[in-house]
């Protein structure tokens, strides 16, 4: 049963290429439309569950959210060595990431509960072997392929002390898969680094949050929030490796924890507008697998060597737009005025997020399988309530092209004076842009028209 459960979680993620480092900046269409802003100003249950469990108290009723996000990334790697140079585009294709949540809370009860299943993290490339591009030449790496996904399943509890203060906590269960070829966690031999089969592992973590909402007599609301997502302590990936000639290359292991994240947020709401700003820091430096960035004595690599990433997100929503849809005239038995129109509210949103690039130019070569280099993203979207209980959400996100250039590295050249093994007269450049479209349906089994 456990094997079947893990398989369902793993394959529901497909291949993810996230944009804030390797972390999805937002979950669900409504949250994506405001660049993931949710620490103090959540737009949806999914956003609250992702970035601050305390804000779950904002939502009452029986709320089901079903989302699907389609991602398209365009990684390109180019390199030079002496007079040789070339460029290779990744053939990763379209990825689809699901997110499902259900929240339950009564208006007169301080407790609110939720369960969720979501894809939150990933990276992947597929660079074909090349005779002109040094890094994808058979003499260096050849065909480079990677695929990493992280799915999370969790429960959340939020408690509202009074009209101003709420707290929340969420235990999280993680399932991750990783395939990487060539596999630098295994010692190289005369044929180079071996290739690995897909490995699966799981882990556990927690998230804690606090939320403060102060509303004045004019209905204006000032909000503050903070949350801490602990390290997701993952078990080791155990890879079965195969040499390029098909012979057995034994097993190797890699520990890759999901990093701790600290988030702070502020928000402001008026009658028709919502504004929010989030700041968070992703602690890659203390996350095994993402930290390191040096060669071991046996030629294996200790990790990507990523730096911490700081994230700044700004989002806004406007609520005054209303659609009027004409309905067929009917007569009322009590001779009241016949109804000609039913009103359905439309909310439009936009956002922008900037994050510092965790991939340094000195260790850009080590991130050839994970070029998580996007720094700036713009988002826009809307929510349209098409019935008394149901809302359709849609968002578009574009990650502006960015690149990072460094030297090629070799464990054979590593020394006290050249600790990274920098290859003279060489360079490697990673370039990437991304596009993402998210769709979702929100159903509140209570009648929204009465609220």
């Amino acid at each position: 049963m456990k094997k079947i459960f893990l398989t369902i979680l793993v394959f529901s993620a497909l291949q993810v290429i996230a944009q804030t480092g390797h972390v999805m900046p937002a979950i669900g269409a409504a949250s994506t439309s405001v660049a993931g802003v949710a620490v103090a100003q959540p737009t949806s249950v999914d956003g609250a569950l992702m970035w601050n469990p305390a804000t779950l108290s904002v939502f009452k009723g029986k709320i089901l959210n079903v989302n699907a996000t389609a991602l398209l990334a365009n990684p390109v790697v180019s390199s030079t060595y002496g007079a040789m140079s070339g460029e290779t585009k990744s053939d990763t294709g379209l990825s689809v990431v699901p997110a499902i949540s259900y929240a339950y809370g009564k208006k007169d009860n301080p407790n609110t509960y939720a369960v969720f299943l979501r894809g939150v993290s990933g990276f992947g490339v597929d660079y074909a072997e090349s005779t002109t591009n040094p890094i994808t030449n058979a003499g260096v790496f050849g065909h480079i392929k990677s695929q990493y996904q992280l799915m999370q399943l969790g429960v959340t509890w939020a408690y509202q002390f009074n009209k101003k203060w709420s707290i929340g906590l969420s235990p999280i269960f993680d399932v991750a898969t990783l395939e990487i070829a060539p596999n630098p966690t295994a010692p190289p031999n005369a044929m180079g680094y071996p290739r690995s089969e897909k490995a699966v592992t799981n882990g556990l973590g927690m998230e804690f949050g606090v939320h403060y909402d102060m509303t004045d007599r004019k209905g204006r609301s000032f909000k503050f929030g903070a949350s801490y997502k602990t390290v997701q302590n993952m078990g080791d990936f155990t890879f079965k490796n195969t040499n390029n000639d098909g012979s057995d290359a034994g097993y190797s292991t890699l520990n890759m924890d999901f990093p701790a994240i600290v988030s702070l947020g502020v928000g402001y709401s008026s009658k028709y507008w919502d504004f929010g700003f989030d700041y968070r820091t992703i602690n890659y430096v203390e996350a095994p697998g993402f930290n390191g960035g040096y060669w071991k004595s046996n030629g294996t690599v200790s990790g990507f060597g990523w730096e911490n990433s700081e994230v700044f997100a700004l989002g806004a929503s406007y609520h005054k737009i209303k659609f009027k849809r004409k309905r067929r005239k009917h007569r009322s038995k009590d001779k009241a005025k016949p109804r000609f129109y039913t009103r359905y509210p439309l909310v439009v949103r936009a956002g922008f997020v900037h994050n510092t690039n965790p991939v340094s130019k000195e260790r850009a070569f080590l991130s050839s399988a994970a070029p998580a280099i996007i720094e700036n993203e713009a988002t826009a979207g809307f929510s349209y309530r098409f019935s008394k209980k149901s809302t359709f959400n849609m968002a578009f996100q574009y990650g502006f092209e960015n690149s990072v250039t460094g030297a090629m590295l070799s464990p054979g050249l590593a020394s006290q004076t050249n600790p990274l093994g920098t290859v003279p007269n060489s360079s490697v450049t990673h370039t990437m842009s991304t596009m993402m479209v998210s769709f979702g349906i929100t159903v509140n089994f209570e009648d929204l028209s009465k609220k």
Side-chain angles (χ1 to χ4, degrees), residues 150-161:
L150 179 73
M151 291 290 291
Q152 292 184 334
L153 173 68
V155 297
T156 300
W157 167 74
Y159 184 83
Q160 187 172 12
F161 289 101

Side-chain angles (χ1 to χ4, degrees), residues 105-186:
K106 292 183 177 181
K107 188 175 181 180
D108 56 350
N109 192 315
N111 298 285
T112 308
Y113 308 93
V115 295
F116 60 84
L117 172 65
R118 63 197 181 198
V120 297
S121 174
F123 56 76
V125 299
D126 190 353
Y127 296 128
E129 186 175 319
S130 170
T131 58
T132 58
N133 192 356
I135 194 171
T136 54
N137 186 275
V140 183
F141 280 152
H143 179 203
I144 301 175
K145 184 178 181 180
S146 65
Q147 190 177 52
Y148 170 78
Q149 305 113 23
L150 179 73
M151 291 290 291
Q152 292 184 334
L153 173 68
V155 297
T156 300
W157 167 74
Y159 184 83
Q160 187 172 12
F161 289 101
N162 49 47
K163 292 182 179 181
K164 294 182 178 181
W165 288 99
S166 298
I167 61 169
L169 62 87
S170 180
I172 302 170
F173 175 70
D174 308 275
V175 178
T177 66
L178 176 61
E179 178 184 5
I180 187 167
N183 182 7
T185 70

Side-chain angles (χ1 to χ4, degrees), residues 6 15 58 106 110 119 132 149 168 171 186 252 263 274 284 287 304 361 372 405 412-413 422-423 444:
L6 295 180
Q15 180 173 320
V58 173
K106 292 183 177 181
T132 58
Q149 305 113 23
S252 62
S263 298
D274 293 324
Y284 287 118
F304 292 125
K361 63 179 183 179
T405 300
L413 297 179
T422 301
V423 178
N444 191 329

Side-chain angles (χ1 to χ4, degrees), residues 118-320:
R118 63 197 181 198
V120 297
S121 174
F123 56 76
V125 299
D126 190 353
Y127 296 128
E129 186 175 319
S130 170
T131 58
T132 58
N133 192 356
I135 194 171
T136 54
N137 186 275
V140 183
F141 280 152
H143 179 203
I144 301 175
K145 184 178 181 180
S146 65
Q147 190 177 52
Y148 170 78
Q149 305 113 23
L150 179 73
M151 291 290 291
Q152 292 184 334
L153 173 68
V155 297
T156 300
W157 167 74
Y159 184 83
Q160 187 172 12
F161 289 101
N162 49 47
K163 292 182 179 181
K164 294 182 178 181
W165 288 99
S166 298
I167 61 169
L169 62 87
S170 180
I172 302 170
F173 175 70
D174 308 275
V175 178
T177 66
L178 176 61
E179 178 184 5
I180 187 167
N183 182 7
T185 70
N189 52 41
M191 292 176 283
Y193 288 101
R195 311 184 78 80
S196 71
E197 297 181 1
K198 183 175 291 186
V200 181
T201 189
N202 53 68
L204 292 171
M206 290 286 294
E207 184 173 16
F208 307 91
V210 61
H211 185 242
Y212 178 79
D213 187 335
M214 179 180 64
T215 303
D216 64 18
R217 294 180 179 180
K218 295 182 179 181
R220 297 173 300 186
S221 180
F222 301 87
K223 307 166 187 180
F224 306 91
S227 69
Y228 176 66
K229 197 185 298 283
T230 70
V231 171
Q232 307 295 300
N233 293 292
M234 308 296 295
D236 289 349
F237 287 110
T238 300
F239 300 103
K240 186 180 187 306
N241 301 303
T242 304
N243 290 315
N244 292 327
D245 64 355
S247 60
D248 182 26
Y251 291 85
S252 62
T253 61
L254 173 67
N255 180 235
M256 183 178 286
D257 288 346
F258 188 88
I261 302 175
V262 176
S263 298
L264 302 173
V266 294
Y268 169 77
S269 294
S270 63
K271 186 175 181 180
Y272 300 120
W273 284 95
D274 293 324
F275 297 96
F277 174 79
D278 283 3
Y279 166 82
R280 49 186 139 263
T281 178
I282 305 174
N283 191 2
Y284 287 118
V285 171
E286 297 183 10
F290 293 100
N291 59 9
Y294 57 87
W295 300 107
K296 297 181 181 180
S297 58
N298 62 354
T300 62
V301 67
S302 62
F304 292 125
W306 285 5
E307 300 173 349
N308 289 346
S309 182
E310 292 184 290
V311 184
F312 307 86
L314 179 67
S317 303
Y318 181 64
H319 298 259
K320 195 176 180 180

Side-chain angles (χ1 to χ4, degrees), residues 42 44-45 48 53-65 102-113 157-163 165-167 389 442-448 451:
S44 68
V45 169
T55 59
L56 184 63
S57 293
V58 173
F59 303 93
K60 298 300 181 181
K62 303 173 183 177
I63 306 172
L64 174 67
N65 289 277
Y102 179 77
Y104 173 74
K106 292 183 177 181
K107 188 175 181 180
D108 56 350
N109 192 315
N111 298 285
T112 308
Y113 308 93
W157 167 74
Y159 184 83
Q160 187 172 12
F161 289 101
N162 49 47
K163 292 182 179 181
W165 288 99
S166 298
I167 61 169
K389 298 183 180 181
T442 300
V443 180
N444 191 329
F445 294 97
E446 294 185 6
D447 190 342
L448 298 181
K451 295 186 178 300

Side-chain angles (χ1 to χ4, degrees), residues 10-59:
V10 167
F11 283 96
S12 64
L14 298 179
Q15 180 173 320
V16 181
I17 298 183
Q19 299 167 9
T20 305
H22 82 307
V23 181
M24 292 284 286
I27 299 296
S31 183
T32 298
S33 63
V34 289
V37 170
V39 179
Q41 185 76 280
T43 58
S44 68
V45 169
D46 295 304
L49 297 176
M50 180 64 179
W51 292 123
N52 187 357
T55 59
L56 184 63
S57 293
V58 173
F59 303 93

